[in-house]
Amino acid sequence: MYCPFCRNPDSRVVDSRMTDDGAAIKRRRQCPECGRRFSTVEAASLSVIKRSGVGEPFSRSKVISGVRKACQGRPVTEDDLALLAQEVEEAIRASGAAEIQAHQVGLSILGPLQKLDQIAYLRFASVYQDFESLEDFEKAIAVLRQNPSPGLDSGVAAGNLRGASATDGASASSGASASATSVSSELG
Ligand SMILES: [Zn+2]
């Protein structure tokens, strides 16, 4: 870039350091023409567009402070939060977009947070997705329960068997299950 003082098209880097969060590099430069010094900042461009339409640079610390509230009293460490924020940023950057809606940042947090702590996830989701009733919680919990194993299938299959046995006609009056039917025929 040009020297901001004399417009000389060349400059020399005299110092280079990463910002504390590692998201950018600051360079101190000196113009070989006029000798004056100036600073530049280099960062991968990623803006978050807020609901108001105003854009601001993506910030891991904002992700962390949002999630930390939901994690109060939970066995979640600062390292866990830092990793989660990193995961969120990587997922967003992987999309290749230079801009993202704040809403999308929230959505990107839900997945990693669910893996980290399910209670914190429910708290975060209840605020973020505007839970309005117990039903909303029940639905979210039902989804969480579906993830580990599909344990409901056998129960559904038993219900289907019951319907088939009723057409046999042997004891049509009882609407009970197949096992109950066999018990009543033993009694008779
Ligand atoms: Zn200059």
Side-chain angles (χ1 to χ4, degrees), residues 3 5-6 8 31 33-34:
C3 166
F5 304 104
C6 72
N8 181 55
C31 172
E33 190 64 30
C34 69

Side-chain angles (χ1 to χ4, degrees), residues 105-172:
V105 177
L107 283 182
S108 305
I109 290 171
L110 289 174
L113 185 55
Q114 184 181 327
K115 280 186 285 172
L116 184 59
D117 188 281
Q118 295 193 334
I119 298 296
Y121 165 80
L122 281 175
R123 288 174 179 163
F124 188 84
S126 71
V127 174
Y128 183 73
Q129 297 185 313
D130 294 330
F131 283 14
E132 286 174 344
S133 65
L134 289 177
E135 267 183 24
D136 290 334
F137 278 95
E138 281 168 353
K139 278 182 206 159
I141 291 168
V143 170
L144 286 176
R145 287 204 167 127
Q146 272 171 16
N147 284 342
S149 67
L152 295 171
D153 288 352
S154 55
V156 173
N160 288 341
L161 280 176
R162 185 179 81 183
S165 71
T167 56
D168 288 351
S171 62

